[in-house]
Amino acid sequence: MDSLPLFVTPLLDGLSWAVMLILIATGLTLIFGFLEVVNFAHGAYYMLGGYFVFVIVDAGFGFFAGVAGALVAVGLLGVLTERLLLKPSYDFGPITQLLIMVGVALVIEGAVIYIWGEQAKGVSTPALLDGPVNLLGTTYPLYRLFLVALGVIVIGAVWLFLERTRYGLVIRASLTDKEMARAFGNDIPTIYTLVFAGGVLIAALAGALMTPIRGIGPSTGATVLLQAFIVVVVGGLGSFRGSVVAGLGLGMLDILVARYISFRLSGITIIVVLLIVLLIRPRGLFGVKGVMEE
Amino acid sequence: MSVRDVLAGDELSRPLIISGVVLFIAMLLLPRFIGTFHVNTVTRILILAFFAMGFNLAFGFTNLPSFGHAAFFGIGAYGTAIALDYLGSEMVFAAFLIALLAAMVFSVFMGLAALRGRGIYFALLTFAIAQFLYEVAFRWTEFTGGDDGLIMIVPPVFGFEIAGPENVYYIALVLLALLTVAMYRILNSPFGKVMAAIRKNDTRTGAIGYPVRRIQLTVFVLSGTLGSIAGILQGLNNMFISPSVLFWQQSVDVLVVTIIGGSTTLLGPIVGSLFLVLLREAVRGLANIGIIITGIVFILIILVASDGLVGVVREYLEE
């Protein structure tokens, strides 16, 4: 029982990051699974979530207003992106759409540097959630526990949406048989927009929530993107379950390796996992077979 | 000159050859008329153009969307610097050779790994492998200097100074000219026709008996090696290398430049490089609007002008 406190902190750190990572990865994997778009700008939307929170808090409106504002703003941006850029270009193929999203990532990154400069920004933990909590013999920041709780709720909500709503059914069906699913609805275009906007919105939520912990800077998008990609590929492109499991595993692995083995290895461990997975089981944990031979 | 034109007829019209030669001579004389600062800018254009042209061999002409070409660029640069460090700075050619060989070997492995997937998955694999290389180089500070980078000291070769923009200018210019001609010859050769077949439909090409994987690998290795040459030039030019040469931003740069110029054209990469570097220079004071403009132009080209700027010019001329 004595050594428990030693494990608690890194484990919970890992868990709080893993949960955020799952949020990001879920959006990315669903966008790929349903729209067949590799959203290269997913990290950029995450980053925007952080910047919007910063702006709103800086203007004096408080953290929760900031998060809400970030969600609305990025949600709108998501709708705009899908309607204006993706809808007209579905016929060009997934690689072209990937490239378009590369362009979007560039524009967002440029805009961020242009408006806010190269220096990282920070936001302080909201007073309501600040402070330590006594837990299993040690103290732990309340905010991080809040992250875990909120993250689990949102993940649960997404799961419910996928399992219990009609839209969710179409999305899930589409992952196994695209043509068939298309045949079942005339509001498919709406679902397209919904999935994209929803996906980036959740990423922005994670970005907003992580800002008090890690701050936000112009290179945050790129770093997060890479990690999210790894989770998505390891979990299986298009698989919600996959991104949850892989997000949990990789998120915890990354933090724990950094704490217990070597700080230098943080970030690299998951890339190694990615390479191994890509070479041995490219479809990922829960991916659909044959999907590599696209 | 589009791939279509280039492949359709191997009659290279007299005026075109003459204007090419004239342009080359003009470029040789250019440094005398413009200041050192501008020579540096043009050198950067030449290096990027070389990189992009080598890249386009795989990307535009064989449909291999590599998102990890920065790896080759970085291996060229770092390979030379590290080799010079270990061998002593007089062994310049040996250092070049080592960097080239390292890039070649790496490209074989990277190609074999990445070619296990097609299309998007190929792209993702190249991206991951290149980023992995970056993370390693970034962390292996004893070897690579980490974030601080490496300084490259290159002594004169056969009495000629080869480092620094004024000198690299000529080297890069000649190499780019040679590459352009070589590219033209490759595209018109039987090998080039097979590349085009693979680009259009690799499954069918494989079905009629061509060793598609092997050809793709060959093209990829060639493209990567060319990329490493660009990296060597970069190192010589700046006499300094930072990990950013390996970062995926570099891969995106060469991709963006190629597409903006026109990935289906021979001269596209050159035009695109010209555009990007000039744009960046022009907006230097205005805090990075350049990135936004590049992104917007990039998206527009993809949506509206798939043959890039060269395509736009060509259409305009055909009016």
Side-chain angles (χ1 to χ4, degrees), chain A residues 2-89:
Chain A
D2 273 351
S3 55
L4 196 57
L6 281 175
F7 286 121
V8 167
T9 307
L11 269 176
L12 284 177
D13 282 350
L15 192 61
S16 52
W17 170 240
V19 164
M20 293 293 114
L21 194 54
I22 293 176
L23 288 181
I24 308 166
T26 300
L28 192 57
T29 208
L30 288 176
I31 291 176
F32 180 82
F34 191 67
L35 283 79
E36 280 183 317
V37 170
V38 178
N39 187 10
F40 213 77
H42 209 69
Y45 289 104
Y46 169 93
M47 191 168 67
L48 281 180
Y51 271 105
F52 278 126
V53 157
F54 166 72
V55 161
I56 296 178
V57 166
D58 212 34
F61 288 107
F63 182 73
F64 295 103
V67 174
L71 291 181
V72 170
V74 175
L76 277 172
L77 267 174
V79 171
L80 276 173
T81 315
E82 203 277 332
R83 285 265 170 84
L84 290 177
L85 295 175
L86 291 177
K87 264 212 209 318
S89 59

Side-chain angles (χ1 to χ4, degrees), chain A residues 99 114 264 266 274 278-279, chain B residues 116 125 128 139 142 287 298:
Chain A
L99 291 172
Y114 180 64
R264 257 206 208 180
S266 103
L274 171 73
L278 279 172
L279 293 171
Chain B
R116 302 178 87 227
L125 274 160
R139 286 171 170 72
E142 309 86 6
F298 183 66

Side-chain angles (χ1 to χ4, degrees), chain B residues 70-149:
Chain B
F72 306 117
F73 195 68
I75 292 180
Y78 270 105
T80 319
I82 297 177
L84 280 175
D85 226 14
Y86 275 81
L87 295 176
S89 48
E90 328 81 50
M91 310 279 288
V92 177
F93 283 114
F96 289 160
L97 211 56
I98 292 179
L100 270 173
L101 280 172
M104 220 181 288
V105 170
F106 190 79
S107 66
V108 171
F109 284 115
M110 185 161 162
L112 284 173
L115 280 169
R116 302 178 87 227
R118 292 172 55 200
I120 290 285
Y121 300 91
F122 175 81
L124 286 179
L125 274 160
T126 55
F127 176 72
I129 297 173
Q131 195 57 21
F132 176 67
L133 194 63
Y134 166 79
E135 300 279 351
V136 166
F138 188 71
R139 286 171 170 72
W140 212 354
T141 45
E142 309 86 6
F143 213 42
T144 62
D147 212 6
D148 295 330

Side-chain angles (χ1 to χ4, degrees), chain B residues 102-304:
Chain B
M104 220 181 288
V105 170
F106 190 79
S107 66
V108 171
F109 284 115
M110 185 161 162
L112 284 173
L115 280 169
R116 302 178 87 227
R118 292 172 55 200
I120 290 285
Y121 300 91
F122 175 81
L124 286 179
L125 274 160
T126 55
F127 176 72
I129 297 173
Q131 195 57 21
F132 176 67
L133 194 63
Y134 166 79
E135 300 279 351
V136 166
F138 188 71
R139 286 171 170 72
W140 212 354
T141 45
E142 309 86 6
F143 213 42
T144 62
D147 212 6
D148 295 330
L150 286 178
I151 300 185
M152 205 147 98
I153 311 168
V154 184
V157 171
F158 305 134
F160 287 105
E161 282 286 350
I162 57 170
E166 317 80 41
N167 304 299
V168 176
Y169 178 92
Y170 295 104
I171 306 176
L173 177 64
V174 169
L175 284 177
L176 182 63
L178 287 174
L179 182 62
T180 311
V181 172
M183 215 39 93
Y184 177 78
R185 299 295 295 275
I186 292 180
L187 290 176
N188 272 337
S189 72
F191 187 73
K193 307 231 160 101
V194 180
M195 274 167 56
I198 294 180
R199 178 179 79 249
K200 298 203 176 130
N201 191 329
D202 56 345
T203 323
R204 201 183 298 159
T205 313
I208 57 178
Y210 281 99
V212 172
R213 273 283 176 281
R214 210 184 316 155
I215 297 178
Q216 285 173 326
L217 186 64
T218 311
V219 170
F220 189 73
V221 170
L222 197 55
S223 175
T225 313
L226 289 169
S228 72
I229 297 179
I232 297 178
L233 288 174
Q234 172 92 330
L236 285 176
N237 190 34
N238 299 343
M239 293 177 286
F240 170 76
I241 306 160
S242 77
S244 63
V245 299
L246 284 167
F247 194 59
W248 62 267
Q249 183 75 47
Q250 189 68 52
S251 297
V252 169
D253 261 6
V254 72
L255 176 77
V256 165
V257 148
T258 305
I259 289 185
I260 289 184
S263 63
T264 51
T265 69
L266 181 66
L267 298 176
I270 301 181
V271 170
S273 309
L274 189 69
F275 170 81
L276 188 77
V277 176
L278 287 182
L279 175 69
R280 282 191 183 151
E281 284 306 306
V283 301
R284 233 179 213 208
L286 301 175
N288 292 291
I289 265 201
I291 305 181
I292 303 181
I293 298 181
T294 309
I296 295 178
V297 172
F298 183 66
I299 295 178
L300 282 175
I301 298 257
I302 294 176
L303 287 177
V304 169

Side-chain angles (χ1 to χ4, degrees), chain A residues 21-183:
Chain A
L21 194 54
I22 293 176
L23 288 181
I24 308 166
T26 300
L28 192 57
T29 208
L30 288 176
I31 291 176
F32 180 82
F34 191 67
L35 283 79
E36 280 183 317
V37 170
V38 178
N39 187 10
F40 213 77
H42 209 69
Y45 289 104
Y46 169 93
M47 191 168 67
L48 281 180
Y51 271 105
F52 278 126
V53 157
F54 166 72
V55 161
I56 296 178
V57 166
D58 212 34
F61 288 107
F63 182 73
F64 295 103
V67 174
L71 291 181
V72 170
V74 175
L76 277 172
L77 267 174
V79 171
L80 276 173
T81 315
E82 203 277 332
R83 285 265 170 84
L84 290 177
L85 295 175
L86 291 177
K87 264 212 209 318
S89 59
Y90 282 113
D91 291 332
F92 289 149
I95 300 216
T96 307
Q97 297 202 301
L98 162 66
L99 291 172
I100 292 179
M101 294 321 291
V102 169
V104 171
L106 278 176
V107 173
I108 294 181
E109 190 189 303
V112 155
I113 298 181
Y114 180 64
I115 303 178
W116 290 294
E118 305 247 9
Q119 291 289 81
K121 305 285 181 205
V123 160
S124 35
T125 328
L128 197 66
L129 296 168
D130 208 0
V133 156
N134 280 321
L135 188 69
L136 294 172
T138 186
T139 61
Y140 194 72
L142 173 62
Y143 186 68
R144 282 203 186 236
L145 291 176
F146 166 70
L147 284 190
V148 175
L150 187 61
V152 169
I153 294 176
V154 174
I155 297 172
V158 172
W159 182 82
L160 272 176
F161 173 78
L162 287 176
E163 291 287 318
R164 297 284 153 87
T165 68
R166 193 182 148 265
Y167 280 4
L169 181 63
V170 174
I171 295 172
R172 276 186 298 126
S174 182
L175 298 177
T176 10
D177 189 336
K178 198 144 248 137
E179 300 304 318
M180 226 26 209
R182 293 285 176 276

Side-chain angles (χ1 to χ4, degrees), chain A residues 194-268:
Chain A
L194 180 70
V195 171
F196 187 80
V200 301
L201 195 146
I202 302 177
L205 174 66
L209 292 176
M210 283 302 288
T211 306
I213 299 182
R214 293 193 181 179
I216 194 82
S219 60
T220 311
T223 318
V224 165
L225 177 71
L226 180 62
Q227 296 182 311
F229 260 137
I230 296 176
V231 169
V232 165
V233 174
V234 169
L237 280 143
S239 163
F240 171 68
R241 205 184 328 167
S243 59
V244 173
V245 171
L248 204 57
L250 290 174
M252 307 233 29
L253 183 69
D254 195 32
I255 302 275
L256 291 176
V257 162
R259 298 290 159 87
Y260 285 122
I261 302 184
S262 160
F263 215 61
R264 257 206 208 180
L265 290 179
S266 103
I268 256 200

